[in-house]
Amino acid sequence: MPALNPYQKYMQQHVTTMTPGQMVVALYDKAITELNKAVYFIEEEPSIPKAHNSIMRVAEIVDTLDAHLKEKYEISKTLADMYQYFRTTLIRANVKKDAELLKGLIPFFQEIRDAFAEASKGF
Protein backbone atom coordinates (compact mmCIF):
# COMPACT_ATOMS: atom_id res chain seq x y z
CA MET A 1 0.00 0.00 0.00
CA PRO A 2 1.49 3.40 -0.98
CA ALA A 3 2.36 5.90 1.72
CA LEU A 4 -0.30 8.48 2.53
CA ASN A 5 0.35 12.10 1.65
CA PRO A 6 0.01 14.67 4.49
CA TYR A 7 -3.59 15.52 3.56
CA GLN A 8 -4.58 11.84 3.51
CA LYS A 9 -2.91 11.33 6.90
CA TYR A 10 -4.80 14.31 8.31
CA MET A 11 -8.13 13.09 6.95
CA GLN A 12 -7.52 9.57 8.24
CA GLN A 13 -6.75 10.91 11.72
CA HIS A 14 -9.69 13.32 11.56
CA VAL A 15 -12.14 10.56 10.66
CA THR A 16 -10.83 8.13 13.27
CA THR A 17 -11.27 10.72 16.03
CA MET A 18 -14.84 11.70 15.11
CA THR A 19 -17.71 10.91 17.45
CA PRO A 20 -20.51 8.79 15.97
CA GLY A 21 -22.66 11.92 15.72
CA GLN A 22 -19.95 13.82 13.87
CA MET A 23 -19.52 10.87 11.51
CA VAL A 24 -23.24 10.82 10.68
CA VAL A 25 -23.21 14.57 10.03
CA ALA A 26 -20.13 14.17 7.80
CA LEU A 27 -21.88 11.43 5.82
CA TYR A 28 -24.92 13.64 5.28
CA ASP A 29 -22.64 16.53 4.27
CA LYS A 30 -20.95 14.29 1.70
CA ALA A 31 -24.32 13.05 0.40
CA ILE A 32 -25.56 16.63 -0.03
CA THR A 33 -22.34 17.55 -1.85
CA GLU A 34 -22.71 14.56 -4.17
CA LEU A 35 -26.39 15.33 -4.84
CA ASN A 36 -25.44 18.88 -5.83
CA LYS A 37 -22.63 17.55 -8.02
CA ALA A 38 -25.01 15.12 -9.74
CA VAL A 39 -27.44 17.96 -10.46
CA TYR A 40 -24.56 20.00 -11.86
CA PHE A 41 -23.40 17.11 -14.05
CA ILE A 42 -26.91 16.68 -15.42
CA GLU A 43 -27.81 20.33 -15.96
CA GLU A 44 -24.65 22.40 -16.37
CA GLU A 45 -21.86 20.15 -17.57
CA PRO A 46 -23.67 17.23 -19.10
CA SER A 47 -21.71 14.17 -18.10
CA ILE A 48 -23.69 10.98 -17.67
CA PRO A 49 -20.76 9.04 -16.12
CA LYS A 50 -19.99 11.78 -13.58
CA ALA A 51 -23.66 12.17 -12.66
CA HIS A 52 -23.96 8.39 -12.29
CA ASN A 53 -20.87 8.24 -10.05
CA SER A 54 -22.17 10.99 -7.76
CA ILE A 55 -25.59 9.35 -7.50
CA MET A 56 -23.95 6.01 -6.69
CA ARG A 57 -21.86 7.65 -3.95
CA VAL A 58 -25.08 8.96 -2.39
CA ALA A 59 -26.61 5.49 -2.61
CA GLU A 60 -23.55 4.02 -0.86
CA ILE A 61 -23.86 6.62 1.90
CA VAL A 62 -27.55 5.82 2.34
CA ASP A 63 -26.69 2.12 2.56
CA THR A 64 -24.03 2.87 5.19
CA LEU A 65 -26.40 5.02 7.25
CA ASP A 66 -29.11 2.37 7.02
CA ALA A 67 -26.75 -0.44 8.00
CA HIS A 68 -25.80 1.38 11.20
CA LEU A 69 -29.30 2.07 12.49
CA LYS A 70 -29.91 0.83 16.00
CA GLU A 71 -33.25 -0.94 16.41
CA LYS A 72 -33.54 0.14 20.03
CA TYR A 73 -34.29 3.74 18.99
CA GLU A 74 -37.82 4.71 17.91
CA ILE A 75 -36.49 6.97 15.16
CA SER A 76 -34.74 4.05 13.46
CA LYS A 77 -37.93 2.75 11.79
CA THR A 78 -38.69 6.20 10.39
CA LEU A 79 -35.13 6.61 9.15
CA ALA A 80 -35.18 3.13 7.57
CA ASP A 81 -38.33 4.11 5.68
CA MET A 82 -36.71 7.38 4.59
CA TYR A 83 -33.60 5.56 3.42
CA GLN A 84 -35.75 3.23 1.34
CA TYR A 85 -37.47 6.25 -0.22
CA PHE A 86 -34.04 7.76 -0.92
CA ARG A 87 -32.87 4.56 -2.61
CA THR A 88 -35.95 4.36 -4.82
CA THR A 89 -35.69 8.01 -5.80
CA LEU A 90 -31.96 7.76 -6.47
CA ILE A 91 -32.54 4.79 -8.78
CA ARG A 92 -35.28 6.66 -10.68
CA ALA A 93 -33.14 9.79 -10.90
CA ASN A 94 -30.14 7.81 -12.10
CA VAL A 95 -32.06 5.93 -14.78
CA LYS A 96 -33.72 9.11 -16.07
CA LYS A 97 -30.84 11.48 -15.20
CA ASP A 98 -33.57 13.61 -13.60
CA ALA A 99 -32.09 16.59 -11.77
CA GLU A 100 -35.47 17.58 -10.32
CA LEU A 101 -35.76 14.28 -8.45
CA LEU A 102 -32.30 14.86 -7.00
CA LYS A 103 -33.10 18.45 -6.06
CA GLY A 104 -36.18 17.16 -4.25
CA LEU A 105 -33.99 14.96 -2.04
CA ILE A 106 -31.62 17.72 -0.92
CA PRO A 107 -34.00 19.34 1.63
CA PHE A 108 -34.64 15.93 3.23
CA PHE A 109 -30.93 15.24 3.57
CA GLN A 110 -30.33 18.76 4.90
CA GLU A 111 -33.10 18.51 7.50
CA ILE A 112 -31.91 15.13 8.80
CA ARG A 113 -28.30 16.33 8.78
CA ASP A 114 -29.24 19.41 10.81
CA ALA A 115 -31.19 17.28 13.29
CA PHE A 116 -28.19 15.01 13.83
CA ALA A 117 -25.87 18.00 14.15
CA GLU A 118 -28.11 19.53 16.81
CA ALA A 119 -28.53 16.22 18.66
CA SER A 120 -24.79 15.54 18.67
CA LYS A 121 -23.98 18.90 20.29
CA GLY A 122 -24.83 17.45 23.67
CA PHE A 123 -22.30 14.63 23.37
Side-chain angles (χ1 to χ4, degrees):
M1 177 176 216
L4 299 176
N5 69 40
Y7 176 75
Q8 290 170 320
K9 286 180 186 177
Y10 166 78
M11 288 306 296
Q12 185 179 45
Q13 182 178 9
H14 179 69
V15 168
T16 58
T17 60
M18 286 179 152
T19 66
Q22 290 170 326
M23 183 65 76
V24 170
V25 170
L27 287 169
Y28 275 102
D29 285 341
K30 181 64 174 171
I32 293 164
T33 298
E34 292 298 331
L35 285 168
N36 283 310
K37 284 171 57 176
V39 169
Y40 175 81
F41 291 133
I42 292 169
E43 293 183 339
E44 304 298 325
E45 181 195 309
S47 174
I48 300 303
K50 289 180 181 178
H52 171 79
N53 289 341
S54 286
I55 293 168
M56 293 308 296
R57 283 188 197 103
V58 177
E60 289 169 4
I61 291 168
V62 169
D63 288 344
T64 298
L65 291 165
D66 191 28
H68 288 87
L69 287 175
K70 307 285 189 239
E71 289 184 23
K72 64 182 177 181
Y73 300 114
E74 285 184 39
I75 191 72
S76 293
K77 172 68 171 117
T78 302
L79 286 171
D81 291 343
M82 288 294 297
Y83 295 152
Q84 186 55 47
Y85 168 75
F86 294 163
R87 280 188 200 94
T88 302
T89 304
L90 288 167
I91 291 167
R92 287 181 39 228
N94 204 7
V95 168
K96 297 178 180 183
K97 295 303 180 265
D98 187 332
E100 294 306 314
L101 285 173
L102 297 172
K103 288 178 189 176
L105 289 177
I106 294 170
F108 289 111
F109 276 80
Q110 188 66 51
E111 187 173 331
I112 298 169
R113 179 247 178 249
D114 292 347
F116 273 105
E118 188 63 33
S120 67
K121 284 181 182 176
F123 296 101

